[in-house]
């Protein structure tokens, strides 16, 4: 989607290695989110950010950390990748927490072997 | 805790038939409600949203949804399905409370046959 990009789009990594996914926005939105999508589970919130250096945990935060050192970038790190973290990861942005809805990136397909 | 339930993980319709995708929510405060669509290998796109104005909400591509507080429902409909409507659809709720994020249902895959 225009205004939000995720990188890389695809990645294969080995168990036990650290992995960082990047979300970049050009909309100057305050709120940024990381979700993972798995069959039968829909989208589940990993972490979110409500400003520079302000982050909080979501439903499935174990094994993940995030950082936001500037408004436009929100990084998701898998500290030591496991096969259970094989998933599609989506970043989203919003102007507010509620009524505006989210704009999603195109996703990162991560495979941990 | 807030939650969203989408009834039916897979719905199949014929081209030209009515599309009905069901969503029920639970929320302790008046919610904001959303429907998103995901085409293969793409991100999610906002179809429509309810933010406590009109209870019948019209969205893109001919879809609409009706907020029914008494039934805690927000079902998505389209009078006549097109082949291009085949996708996965997600209902989401935002409880309109500080420190919360959208909660998504598990999704419904819509198949359209000719």
């Amino acid at each position: 989607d225009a205004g939000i990009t995720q990188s890389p789009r695809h990645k294969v990594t080995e168990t036990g290695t650290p992995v960082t996914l990047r979300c970049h926005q050009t909309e100057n939105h305050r709120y940024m989110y990381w979700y993972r999508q798995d069959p039968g589970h829909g989208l589940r919130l990993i972490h979110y950010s409500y400003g520079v250096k302000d982050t909080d945990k979501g439903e499935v935060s174990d094994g993940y950390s995030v950082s936001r050192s500037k408004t436009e970038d929100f990084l998701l790190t898998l500290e030591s990748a496991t096969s259970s973290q094989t998933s599609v990861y989506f970043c989203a942005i919003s102007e507010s927490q509620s009524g505006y809805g989210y704009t999603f990136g195109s996703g990162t397909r991560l495979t941990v072997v | 805790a807030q939650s969203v339930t989408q009834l039916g993980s897979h719905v199949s319709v014929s081209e030209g038939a009515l599309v009905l995708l069901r969503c029920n929510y639970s929320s302790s405060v008046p919610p904001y409600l959303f429907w998103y669509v995901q085409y293969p290998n793409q991100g999610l796109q906002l179809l429509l949203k309810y933010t406590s104005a009109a209870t019948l909400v019209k969205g893109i591509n001919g879809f609409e949804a009706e907020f029914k507080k008494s039934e805690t429902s927000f079902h998505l409909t389209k009078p006549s399905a097109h082949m291009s409507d085949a996708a996965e659809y997600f209902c989401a709720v935002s409880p309109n409370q500080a420190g919360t994020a959208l909660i998504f249902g598990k999704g419904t895959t819509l198949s359209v046959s000719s």
Side-chain angles (χ1 to χ4, degrees), chain A residues 32-79:
Chain A
M32 300 185 75
Y33 309 84
W34 278 107
Y35 285 86
R36 60 178 289 175
Q37 183 180 21
D38 303 288
H41 291 276
L43 277 81
R44 293 179 291 174
L45 182 67
I46 305 171
H47 282 279
Y48 69 99
S49 171
Y50 46 95
V52 174
K53 299 189 187 302
D54 293 323
T55 65
D56 206 350
K57 296 179 179 180
E59 175 188 1
V60 291
S61 61
D62 287 348
Y64 301 94
S65 62
V66 291
S67 66
R68 192 169 178 198
S69 59
K70 45 187 179 178
T71 299
E72 56 265 37
D73 289 325
F74 192 33
L75 304 181
L76 176 71
T77 297
L78 287 66
E79 295 144 7

Side-chain angles (χ1 to χ4, degrees), chain B residues 33-101:
Chain B
L33 292 159
F34 306 83
W35 275 100
Y36 285 84
V37 60
Q38 184 182 31
Y39 299 103
N41 300 312
Q42 295 186 25
L44 280 71
Q45 177 183 0
L46 182 65
L47 264 182
L48 50 80
K49 62 182 180 181
Y50 167 76
T51 56
S52 73
T55 56
L56 182 62
V57 181
K58 295 186 183 299
I60 62 172
N61 301 337
F63 284 93
E64 62 182 36
E66 186 173 8
F67 173 70
K68 292 187 177 180
K69 184 177 180 180
S70 61
E71 300 177 7
T72 60
S73 69
F74 190 56
H75 301 331
L76 182 70
T77 61
K78 182 174 181 178
S80 177
H82 295 168
M83 297 292 289
S84 60
D85 294 327
E88 190 161 20
Y89 293 80
F90 293 93
C91 182
V93 62
S94 174
N96 196 18
Q97 290 177 314
T100 60

Side-chain angles (χ1 to χ4, degrees), chain B residues 13-35:
Chain B
V13 300
S14 299
E15 195 171 22
L18 171 71
V19 175
L20 171 61
L21 304 182
R22 300 178 186 272
C23 173
N24 289 88
Y25 70 91
S26 68
S27 177
S28 57
V29 297
Y32 292 157
L33 292 159
F34 306 83
W35 275 100

